[in-house]
Amino acid sequence: MGATLAASGEWLRRHARVVAALQWAIVIAYAFFVIVPAFLPLPADDAHWFNNLALFSQWLFWGVWWPFVILSMFVVGRAWCGLFCPEGMLTEAASRHGLGRAVPRWLKWGGWPFVAFALTTVFGQLVSVYQYPGATLLVLGGSTLAAIGVGLVYGRGKRVWCRHLCPVNGVFAVLSRVAPVHFAVDTTAWKANVASIPAHPVNCAPLVRIRRMTGPSECHMCGRCSGLHGAIALAARSPNREVVTLDANSAQRWDAVLIVFGMIGLALGAFEWSALGAFVTLRSAAVEFVVEHGPAWVLADNAPWWILTNYPETRDVFTWLDGALIFGWIVGTAVVVGGWVSLWLFVSARGLRDSQATLLANAYALSCTLIPLAGAGLFVGLSALPAGLAHGEGFRLAWLPAIRAALLALSAGWGLYLVFRRISSGGQIAQRSRVMVPMALAIGGVLAAWWPFVFRGL
Ligand code: SF4
């Protein structure tokens, strides 16, 4: 197994041209499926995914690509980023021919992964990115243009965009913390060989400090550094190891914010607003209130489609009030669910007897135990679109709620196991329960919030 993995890493390094050819092929396919459907008429009511390019692209991007890229992080880390992602390829290529400027400080701000994810998630819902090819072109194409622009200005053959600004960089970095494979660095071999084994030239495009790499969070799994100084090889590891052994003092605040408020809270709000009757009830009450008290302009539906969904031909038009309610629902869910989880994270952190770290640092570290639940939530939420399309094709998916519930329950159990492992050497049962019980309450609250989405009718 170990030898096979190491050989796979070496294969990637030796066949960089094959990988590059594959990436360019993906760039071409991506450009076709993002651009062309946006200039076709909207699908007719009786169109199917197999006879309509717009529906096929919708299925491809949001039904297959996005959920399974999320899933792939749990299996092969960020291999998507390094081996397949068209934006990564384009930004790196642009950076080879650009100005080559140094990365400025503002670009290195640790909050970008959360901010970029939050803005894209909310904006995507306001323009109905999963439903309309124009919105898909706006969001994905806009992101790709920005990636090329950043490449043209910063770095020399690097992926500065991927490292600092990509809206899903943070999500991928967090999820890959539980990946079962990584490019392992043998520091002893490095020291011993650095003088005797000459280095092959390595361009680590996402700017990883290779020798100090301890996990796959920042690594794009491109394989270019495989075999460097006889000290780096693709290897298996326990998917629990990184979270269980994470030093609380090196846990990142923005990772915690992204996990708790972004991947759990914000994502829940984004998936649930269109799926729950409660939103319809809220909207009716708000419309009634505005009709009675004004201002009337918030009921106008004159916003352009690139600000708020506006497709009169499909009778899908958002008023300004709709936009405000959707925004409020998503942000409100993030605050309520994220607040609930944060509360119990701090209570749990208080129960830890790690005098080497502060309460905050321990809470940040504990938030990493929620990674499986956060990732499973994203996958479950994203399953709504393919499920809806399959339903439209006449498939009855009676088993889907059970599968979704099982996935969330398994990931919740995995999270609790990670908490248990983090504290397994720390004291008596009473002491451990001071950590476990609040974490169980945090996780239970998230599961309860998912309940109406999981068990709603299709
Ligand atoms: S550390 Fe850099 S060069 Fe090495 S596999 Fe990861 S992304 Fe590629």
Side-chain angles (χ1 to χ4, degrees), residues 45 69 95-96 107 122 143 166 191 208 213 216 221 227 239 241 244 259 268 279 286 348 368 428:
D45 286 346
V69 166
S95 170
R96 254 182 251 126
L107 245 169
V122 175
S143 167
C166 169
K191 273 185 211 148
V208 179
M213 179 167 59
M221 307 290 279
R241 191 175 81 194
V244 168
I259 294 166
L268 248 166
F279 183 82
S348 192
C368 290
Q428 304 302 313

Side-chain angles (χ1 to χ4, degrees), residues 183 202-208 210 213 218-226 232:
F183 276 92
V202 177
N203 172 29
C204 178
L207 301 151
V208 179
I210 298 173
M213 179 167 59
E218 295 166 345
C219 168
H220 286 197
M221 307 290 279
C222 68
R224 294 176 196 174
C225 65
S226 178
I232 297 182

Side-chain angles (χ1 to χ4, degrees), residues 86-352:
E87 266 185 21
M89 188 65 182
L90 286 167
T91 197
E92 184 179 340
S95 170
R96 254 182 251 126
H97 307 286
L99 301 176
R101 291 200 182 143
V103 184
R105 262 176 74 119
W106 66 267
L107 245 169
K108 296 179 182 171
W109 179 54
W112 283 126
F114 172 74
V115 172
F117 174 75
L119 290 178
T120 314
T121 302
V122 175
F123 182 64
Q125 292 302 305
L126 293 177
V127 296
S128 298
V129 68
Y130 298 151
Q131 279 78 34
Y132 296 103
T136 300
L137 176 61
L138 180 67
V139 174
L140 293 185
S143 167
T144 304
L145 281 181
I148 293 170
V150 168
L152 285 173
V153 178
Y154 300 112
R156 181 71 69 200
K158 300 298 179 192
R159 298 185 175 200
V160 175
W161 166 263
C162 310
R163 173 65 194 244
H164 297 292
L165 290 179
C166 169
V168 282
N169 165 45
V171 172
F172 293 169
V174 158
L175 292 179
S176 60
R177 282 182 182 268
V178 292
V181 291
H182 70 147
F183 276 92
V185 182
D186 181 340
T187 46
T188 311
W190 184 294
K191 273 185 211 148
N193 297 340
V194 71
S196 55
I197 303 182
H200 56 260
V202 177
N203 172 29
C204 178
L207 301 151
V208 179
R209 288 185 295 181
I210 298 173
R211 193 172 70 86
R212 297 190 191 166
M213 179 167 59
T214 54
S217 250
E218 295 166 345
C219 168
H220 286 197
M221 307 290 279
C222 68
R224 294 176 196 174
C225 65
S226 178
L228 189 64
H229 295 309
I232 297 182
L234 185 60
R237 64 174 197 165
S238 161
N240 302 324
R241 191 175 81 194
E242 194 170 332
V243 174
V244 168
T245 60
L246 177 67
D247 174 11
N249 287 315
S250 61
Q252 299 292 318
R253 174 183 49 174
W254 283 110
D255 280 354
V257 173
L258 178 65
I259 294 166
V260 174
F261 288 94
M263 294 164 69
I264 292 178
L266 211 68
L268 248 166
F271 291 128
E272 286 198 334
W273 75 265
S274 59
L276 301 190
F279 183 82
V280 179
T281 309
L282 174 73
R283 183 181 182 277
S284 303
V287 169
E288 214 171 286
F289 180 88
V290 171
V291 167
E292 280 179 23
H293 305 281
W297 67 264
V298 298
L299 295 178
D301 56 6
N302 55 356
W305 66 269
W306 39 270
I307 293 180
L308 288 177
T309 302
N310 194 333
Y311 301 90
E313 58 273 49
T314 57
R315 295 173 298 285
D316 192 2
V317 180
F318 289 176
T319 63
W320 294 101
L321 179 65
D322 291 330
L325 288 173
I326 293 166
F327 179 85
W329 182 281
I330 296 174
V331 174
T333 306
V335 170
V336 171
V337 177
W340 170 269
V341 173
S342 302
L343 168 73
W344 294 115
L345 275 176
F346 283 115
V347 174
S348 192
R350 271 178 65 101
L352 281 173

